[in-house]
Amino acid sequence: MIWLIPIEVHIATHGSRIKNINNRLPITDYVSYLVIHQNYNGFEESDLIKRSDITYIKSKSTGVARSRNVALMLSNPDAIILLSDDDVEFDKDVFDKIRLYFSENLIDFCTFKVGLLEDKNVDMLDYGNYKRKLNWKNVGKFGAINFAFRAKF
């Protein structure tokens, strides 16, 4: 059943940007969050720890790519992974749409559009609304927060 496919959202954050991150993470069945916090000194993680769907990880590494690598090393091998930033909010519907897309198509990786919460008719970037084969030459046109992929290929 497609609704049982777990989704894991990897969120890179730094310093005080972690404040109010809890409010941007909807509680949804079969969705969990890995929050990688760099430059964490002086910040309390107690609000995050109260939620069973959030795993909070302090990291001494620097840079968003390293945060994402830390999360990938700890990811659920059966999950669909979404890369995110600390200023991204997800509409709950996006998780079901991604699950459905992965279950209806024999894919390991896809991109999706990211919109603005204030105006759902506006896309942040215009990638077109069609299928295309992704490869090393064209995948760099997309931002990491537009990626969804299986943890285990």
Side-chain angles (χ1 to χ4, degrees):
M1 183 173 196
I2 64 168
W3 309 121
L4 299 179
I5 300 170
I7 289 183
E8 196 172 82
V9 182
H10 295 179
I11 302 164
T13 190
H14 184 272
S16 63
R17 292 181 58 111
I18 197 164
K19 291 181 180 177
N20 299 319
I21 200 170
N22 222 11
N23 301 332
R24 290 191 287 278
L25 308 179
I27 298 172
T28 307
D29 290 340
Y30 300 101
V31 175
S32 61
Y33 304 92
L34 264 66
V35 177
I36 310 301
H37 191 190
Q38 296 176 340
N39 193 21
Y40 51 81
N41 291 329
F43 298 99
E44 191 61 46
E45 72 267 12
S46 60
D47 287 339
L48 292 171
I49 290 175
K50 290 178 187 173
R51 286 186 46 182
S52 62
D53 60 334
I54 298 175
T55 301
Y56 174 80
I57 300 159
K58 294 178 181 179
S59 177
K60 293 182 180 180
S61 66
T62 57
V64 69
R66 287 192 177 124
S67 283
R68 291 187 173 134
N69 287 341
V70 169
L72 287 170
M73 288 186 289
L74 300 170
S75 63
N76 174 352
D78 298 319
I80 295 170
I81 306 297
L82 305 182
L83 301 178
S84 188
D85 293 328
D86 53 18
D87 59 349
V88 173
E89 283 187 52
F90 287 97
D91 186 327
K92 283 185 175 186
D93 295 339
V94 75
F95 302 122
D96 290 340
K97 289 176 183 177
I98 289 171
R99 279 190 189 98
L100 184 62
Y101 194 77
F102 271 83
S103 67
E104 290 181 346
N105 299 278
L106 296 173
I107 60 169
D108 293 318
F109 180 90
C110 73
T111 60
F112 58 94
K113 289 184 177 185
V114 177
L116 300 174
L117 288 174
E118 303 83 41
D119 187 351
K120 294 190 183 226
N121 295 321
V122 175
D123 294 323
M124 284 180 61
L125 296 170
D126 185 18
Y127 292 137
N129 201 13
Y130 55 89
K131 292 181 181 181
R132 72 181 104 193
K133 187 170 177 128
L134 296 172
N135 58 47
W136 65 272
K137 291 180 182 178
N138 64 9
V139 76
K141 296 177 182 177
F142 302 93
I145 65 169
N146 302 100
F147 295 156
F149 55 92
R150 294 186 189 275
K152 179 173 53 179
F153 286 28

